[in-house]
């Protein structure tokens, strides 16, 4: 669904959901930094970008009636989050 076409309320709810997801990523990352002090600190925009990337990868599959493929995204999403939040190389 095209969110702007759904109206301002839908856009606001989607925006709020993205920020909630970004906050969850930030909370997880802050906790993880206690155990991994060598991991980089990142700006809030990095958490928001991860939320957007996750949403887009899921949305593409849902829009194209490929929801059964969602579990296969796990490795990609974990690698993406660790690349950004832990500075880890993408796995081979």
């Amino acid at each position: 669904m095209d969110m702007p076409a759904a109206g301002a309320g839908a856009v606001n709810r989607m925006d709020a959901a993205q920020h909630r997801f970004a906050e969850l990523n930030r909370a997880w990352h802050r906790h993880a930094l206690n155990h991994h002090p060598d991991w980089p600190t990142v700006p809030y925009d990095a958490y928001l970008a991860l939320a957007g990337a996750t949403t887009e990868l899921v949305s593409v599959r849902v829009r194209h009636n490929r929801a059964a493929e969602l579990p296969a995204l796990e490795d990609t999403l974990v690698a993406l989050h660790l690349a950004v939040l832990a500075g880890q190389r993408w796995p081979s």
Side-chain angles (χ1 to χ4, degrees):
M1 171 190 287
D2 183 20
M3 293 307 284
V11 171
N12 290 339
R13 284 189 298 279
M14 182 64 172
D15 192 46
Q18 294 292 81
H19 284 281
R20 283 193 302 274
F21 188 40
E23 288 296 335
L24 286 172
N25 279 325
R26 180 161 56 182
W28 175 86
H29 188 236
R30 285 182 176 167
H31 177 75
L33 286 173
N34 292 326
H35 302 283
H36 304 280
D38 56 318
W39 285 8
T41 57
V42 298
Y44 180 77
D45 282 344
Y47 304 114
L48 193 56
L50 287 170
T54 300
T55 299
E56 184 60 21
L57 289 173
V58 169
S59 295
V60 165
R61 280 148 185 88
V62 171
R63 283 193 307 267
H64 295 280
N65 297 314
R66 296 170 31 210
E69 297 175 13
L70 292 177
L73 281 176
E74 181 178 5
D75 289 343
T76 298
L77 291 172
V78 169
L80 177 62
H81 280 71
L82 289 175
V84 173
L85 301 178
Q88 292 185 7
R89 293 175 50 127
W90 200 270
S92 301

